[in-house]
Amino acid sequence: MKLLSDSFSADSKIPMKFSCEGEGISPSLKWEDVPIETRSFALIVDDPDAPNRTFVHWVLYDLPMQTRNLPEGVPREPMLEGSGIQGKNDIGQLGYTPPCPPSGIHRYFFKLYALDAPLGLDFGATKQDVEAAMENHILASAQLVGRYQKQR
């Protein structure tokens, strides 16, 4: 399985538009080469370079099996019509929180999981909740890494 973006290339700089210095919206994502047995997808975006611990920027799950992309600017609503359920990020909000590193260049890991069943979690689940629910259900995974350093 492959995870790509029209917003930025693998291992390259995430444009300011998708950061706390810009519009702060989520970048577009698309995926291909999905296992035929896939019944849902989950997405976790985190920053392992954050001070003290890995910082979770986005948790999205129970994306329908026919989904193959997410547009720029996914709304921060609990339930996305036909596009999954939002979890809580590490600032305690639903949806995407943009890169805003305190110093230096940080790496942002966009991790997509193809699952053999929907997770059935209520909105607001954490990364830990989703990872526990995905256990023994992951058919394939793909990741896309972007980098960001504050410009100001």
Side-chain angles (χ1 to χ4, degrees), residues 21-67:
E21 297 180 287
E23 294 174 43
I25 61 171
S26 60
S28 69
L29 297 171
K30 60 185 177 183
W31 48 97
E32 51 193 43
D33 300 332
V34 173
I36 196 158
E37 307 86 6
T38 302
R39 296 294 168 258
S40 74
F41 296 96
L43 176 73
I44 295 172
V45 179
D46 56 25
D47 169 10
D49 301 320
N52 306 318
R53 64 183 166 90
T54 297
F55 189 91
V56 178
H57 283 262
W58 198 7
V59 179
L60 181 58
Y61 47 94
D62 286 358
L63 286 120
M65 63 184 180
Q66 67 274 13
T67 307

Side-chain angles (χ1 to χ4, degrees), residues 40-41 61-63 85 115 117-123 125 130 133-134:
S40 74
F41 296 96
Y61 47 94
D62 286 358
L63 286 120
I85 301 171
L115 308 171
L119 299 179
L121 299 169
D122 288 334
F123 70 85
V130 170
M134 287 192 307

